[in-house]
Amino acid sequence: MALDKNWFVEVAPEAGFAQALKIRGKLHEEQTPYQKLEIFDTEDWGNLMTLDGLVMLTARDNFVYHEMMSHPPVMTHPAPRRVAIVGGGDCGTLREVLRHPAIEKVFQIEIDEAVTRAAERYFPELTEANDDPRAELLFGDAIEWMKRQEPGSLDVVIVDSTDPVGPAVGLFQRAFYADCLQALGTTGVLAQQSESPLLHLDTLKAMRAEMKAAGFEQLRTYQFCQPTYPSGWWSATLAGIGVDLRDFREQDARELPFTGHYYSADMHRGSMAMPPFIERALAEG
Amino acid sequence: MALDKNWFVEVAPEAGFAQALKIRGKLHEEQTPYQKLEIFDTEDWGNLMTLDGLVMLTARDNFVYHEMMSHPPVMTHPAPRRVAIVGGGDCGTLREVLRHPAIEKVFQIEIDEAVTRAAERYFPELTEANDDPRAELLFGDAIEWMKRQEPGSLDVVIVDSTDPVGPAVGLFQRAFYADCLQALGTTGVLAQQSESPLLHLDTLKAMRAEMKAAGFEQLRTYQFCQPTYPSGWWSATLAGIGVDLRDFREQDARELPFTGHYYSADMHRGSMAMPPFIERALAEG
């Protein structure tokens, strides 16, 4: 069957794979200083945001990604208080981090303010915590911002960025990780989206090698299903200093002061189990 | 971007979702007595088999499905010896079941012999265990076959069928489950593919209700990422009699006599963790 103009199609040419969502129309189109931003109204997935033709999120399935980017690092750190979100302009990760009462301060450093403005209009549920007094929304270059942070001033860094091409490429490199490590000090957790473990295993391996080279002691990659990202199979990676990534605050996770849609203590542990073929590939270096 | 004739596209119209694989050409096309069977040569996924225009398997990602359909039920039964595979004509599940030395007999009851003949030719790696003396390949109606089995003559039943439309619809109904239960006797495990937990939650609930009505004591749904099935997020469900589905032979799973590509003891446990939104939906009935 052919897909007509009523479908938004994203092709992953490197994988001979494409996925598509049926749309009713385009709600917004804008060339920002950084990228082309579009919003579509889909038949079954609510609003859809794309950047440079790639799916960033839909209203229907973003909960998986946002919960899995925020709660695992926060629940792995023994006493998280200060968090930085790098990218994350749709504010969904910010909302999830702010659900934790122990968090005292969250910086969100997004390079493209247009993404946040579009989220406020088309995904208001994700920006509902933006007025929280603990949240500080900054628009600028997170790579430069991270260099200026006091040593040990952050507990958790969440890199919620686009793929390692274009504006985000520096966020997958050793120099940036070294600055994150300095800001984390002696005890900290960095979490970063790390692409499809089936389609992009080489990217995942390269990223982990950069984290290791920057001085992180431990790494742990975990997985989840993300239907509207290529292959529907996605991963994130924790990098830690002074924290045992094999464990997490499980008892606290069983008594969360909010109800997860995807995240729970069992899902935290379950998502950390990785298929043997991936474990073998990552053990090779 | 539009997808031209060099793409095989599968649309899930109920979900406004489609996925596509880039193809080099069609290797085989056949109208069997039951369905239209096609084999494509894809750019990045190896050979692709479709039935009535729906993806059944690709050479690249079928390992997830086949390992997750076979090892969880076999490792959940305390002492599995006799197994029936309902459907499963590509023989991938059969191959995985036969990896367990304790298994003495496996019946595969596939209604459409053409599927197995095509697998022998286009997916020879999946049919490599077909000559195992423990394997008995039968071609016919599994619903009728199941009625004729002696009470307690099977330990594990694996329903590896197409979706609950067309020839497979009876495999999702109470009468069939009751016949399976009788064949399992006092101690047994049934495993069945149960669609996308995101897109087809109602189907999953209906299927579980039928299993329960047939007399199964316990049910347990588990999940895995399956890139070439709609949404990339798939599930299977265990139904048990006289077996605690919350547990499995974990020590044995840590000492498997073969190396899994996807399956391991940790993956078994991890896959059984279900997101809270699904747990809540299933608890409602």
Side-chain angles (χ1 to χ4, degrees):
Chain A
M1 172 177 168
L3 299 177
D4 61 19
K5 65 179 175 47
N6 294 316
W7 289 81
F8 171 83
V9 180
E10 173 175 341
V11 175
E14 77 285 5
F17 185 89
Q19 85 267 12
L21 299 175
K22 193 162 192 195
I23 56 175
R24 293 200 191 95
K26 190 185 288 191
L27 302 175
H28 184 86
E29 180 176 331
E30 174 183 7
Q31 182 64 47
T32 80
Y34 301 97
Q35 48 210 345
K36 183 174 183 184
L37 190 167
E38 293 167 288
I39 308 282
F40 298 90
D41 174 24
T42 76
E43 287 266 352
D44 293 288
W45 298 75
N47 285 348
L48 160 68
M49 181 192 289
T50 67
L51 292 174
D52 289 338
L54 305 179
V55 171
M56 290 298 113
L57 73 154
T58 77
R60 184 173 183 180
D61 75 333
N62 79 81
F63 69 95
V64 180
Y65 178 84
H66 286 134
E67 293 190 28
M68 293 307 281
M69 286 299 289
S70 53
H71 305 314
V74 168
M75 298 309 292
T76 297
H77 192 287
R81 294 182 301 117
R82 293 169 64 84
V83 178
I85 298 168
V86 171
D90 60 48
C91 304
T93 299
L94 175 65
R95 180 182 69 165
E96 295 303 322
V97 170
L98 288 167
R99 292 193 196 281
H100 297 269
I103 300 298
E104 297 170 3
K105 182 79 187 175
V106 188
F107 301 96
Q108 178 182 287
I109 314 98
E110 165 63 51
I111 202 165
D112 193 346
E113 185 170 352
V115 173
T116 301
R117 298 300 159 234
E120 287 168 342
R121 181 162 174 197
Y122 296 104
F123 299 89
E125 69 280 13
L126 299 183
T127 63
E128 66 189 17
N130 286 13
D131 293 333
D132 188 305
R134 298 172 294 163
E136 188 166 338
L137 274 66
L138 305 169
F139 297 103
D141 183 344
I143 292 176
E144 292 304 314
W145 183 88
M146 196 61 75
K147 286 180 186 161
R148 299 193 305 267
Q149 301 315 299
E150 291 292 319
S153 62
L154 296 173
D155 301 311
V156 173
V157 173
I158 300 174
V159 188
D160 176 7
S161 77
T162 49
D163 299 335
V165 288
V169 70
L171 301 176
F172 291 78
Q173 291 172 348
R174 175 177 174 172
F176 170 68
Y177 294 139
D179 292 332
C180 291
L181 191 56
Q182 172 168 298
L184 291 168
T186 54
T187 309
V189 180
L190 179 148
Q192 185 165 16
Q193 74 88 2
S194 48
E195 307 285 300
S196 167
L198 186 71
L199 305 187
H200 312 123
L201 198 46
D202 288 344
T203 303
L204 174 56
K205 288 169 74 168
M207 177 182 151
R208 287 171 54 107
E210 295 284 298
M211 289 171 162
K212 207 83 179 172
F216 280 101
E217 289 170 349
Q218 268 191 39
L219 304 179
R220 186 138 195 190
T221 296
Y222 56 103
Q223 63 174 357
F224 46 91
C225 296
Q226 192 66 41
T228 56
Y229 286 177
S231 82
W233 189 352
W234 217 249
S235 71
T237 296
L238 299 180
I241 183 81
V243 175
D244 187 352
L245 302 182
R246 291 166 299 184
D247 215 346
F248 67 109
R249 292 184 288 115
E250 182 160 355
Q251 193 54 41
D252 291 348
R254 296 206 180 279
E255 297 162 1
L256 290 174
F258 58 89
T259 305
H261 204 54
Y262 190 86
Y263 182 84
S264 67
D266 287 343
M267 288 302 296
H268 186 132
R269 193 167 289 290
S271 72
M272 297 285 162
M274 291 297 280
F277 85 96
I278 298 176
E279 283 193 329
R280 286 192 292 270
L282 298 184
E284 284 164 11
Chain B
M1 175 178 166
L3 299 178
D4 61 19
K5 64 178 175 48
N6 293 316
W7 290 82
F8 171 84
V9 180
E10 173 175 341
V11 175
E14 77 285 5
F17 185 90
Q19 84 268 8
L21 298 175
K22 192 162 193 196
I23 56 175
R24 293 200 191 95
K26 190 186 286 191
L27 303 175
H28 185 86
E29 180 177 332
E30 175 181 6
Q31 182 64 48
T32 81
Y34 302 97
Q35 49 210 346
K36 184 173 182 184
L37 189 168
E38 292 167 290
I39 308 282
F40 299 89
D41 174 25
T42 75
E43 287 267 353
D44 293 288
W45 297 76
N47 284 348
L48 159 68
M49 181 191 288
T50 67
L51 292 174
D52 289 338
L54 305 179
V55 171
M56 290 297 112
L57 73 154
T58 78
R60 185 174 183 181
D61 75 335
N62 78 80
F63 70 94
V64 180
Y65 178 85
H66 286 133
E67 292 189 28
M68 291 308 281
M69 287 299 290
S70 52
H71 305 315
V74 168
M75 298 309 292
T76 297
H77 193 286
R81 293 182 302 116
R82 293 170 63 84
V83 178
I85 298 168
V86 171
D90 59 49
C91 304
T93 299
L94 176 66
R95 181 183 66 165
E96 295 303 321
V97 170
L98 289 166
R99 292 193 197 281
H100 296 269
I103 300 297
E104 296 170 2
K105 183 78 187 178
V106 188
F107 300 96
Q108 178 181 288
I109 314 97
E110 164 64 49
I111 203 166
D112 192 347
E113 185 169 353
V115 173
T116 301
R117 298 301 159 234
E120 287 168 342
R121 183 162 172 197
Y122 297 104
F123 299 88
E125 69 280 14
L126 299 183
T127 63
E128 66 188 19
N130 286 14
D131 292 334
D132 188 306
R134 299 172 293 164
E136 189 166 338
L137 274 66
L138 305 169
F139 298 102
D141 183 345
I143 292 176
E144 293 303 315
W145 183 88
M146 196 60 75
K147 288 179 187 161
R148 298 193 304 268
Q149 301 315 298
E150 291 292 320
S153 62
L154 296 173
D155 301 310
V156 173
V157 173
I158 300 173
V159 188
D160 177 5
S161 77
T162 48
D163 298 336
V165 288
V169 70
L171 301 176
F172 290 78
Q173 292 172 350
R174 175 178 174 171
F176 171 68
Y177 294 138
D179 292 333
C180 291
L181 191 57
Q182 171 168 297
L184 291 168
T186 53
T187 309
V189 179
L190 179 148
Q192 186 166 15
Q193 74 90 1
S194 47
E195 307 285 300
S196 168
L198 186 71
L199 305 187
H200 312 124
L201 197 46
D202 288 343
T203 303
L204 174 55
K205 287 168 75 169
M207 175 182 154
R208 287 171 53 107
E210 295 284 297
M211 288 171 162
K212 207 84 178 171
F216 280 101
E217 289 170 348
Q218 267 191 39
L219 304 178
R220 186 139 196 190
T221 296
Y222 56 104
Q223 64 174 356
F224 45 91
C225 297
Q226 192 67 41
T228 56
Y229 286 176
S231 83
W233 189 352
W234 217 248
S235 71
T237 296
L238 300 180
I241 182 82
V243 175
D244 187 353
L245 302 182
R246 291 167 300 184
D247 215 346
F248 66 108
R249 292 184 288 115
E250 182 160 355
Q251 193 53 42
D252 291 349
R254 297 206 179 279
E255 296 162 0
L256 290 173
F258 57 90
T259 305
H261 204 53
Y262 190 85
Y263 182 84
S264 67
D266 287 343
M267 288 302 297
H268 185 133
R269 193 167 288 290
S271 72
M272 296 286 160
M274 291 297 278
F277 85 97
I278 298 176
E279 284 193 329
R280 286 192 293 269
L282 298 183
E284 283 163 12

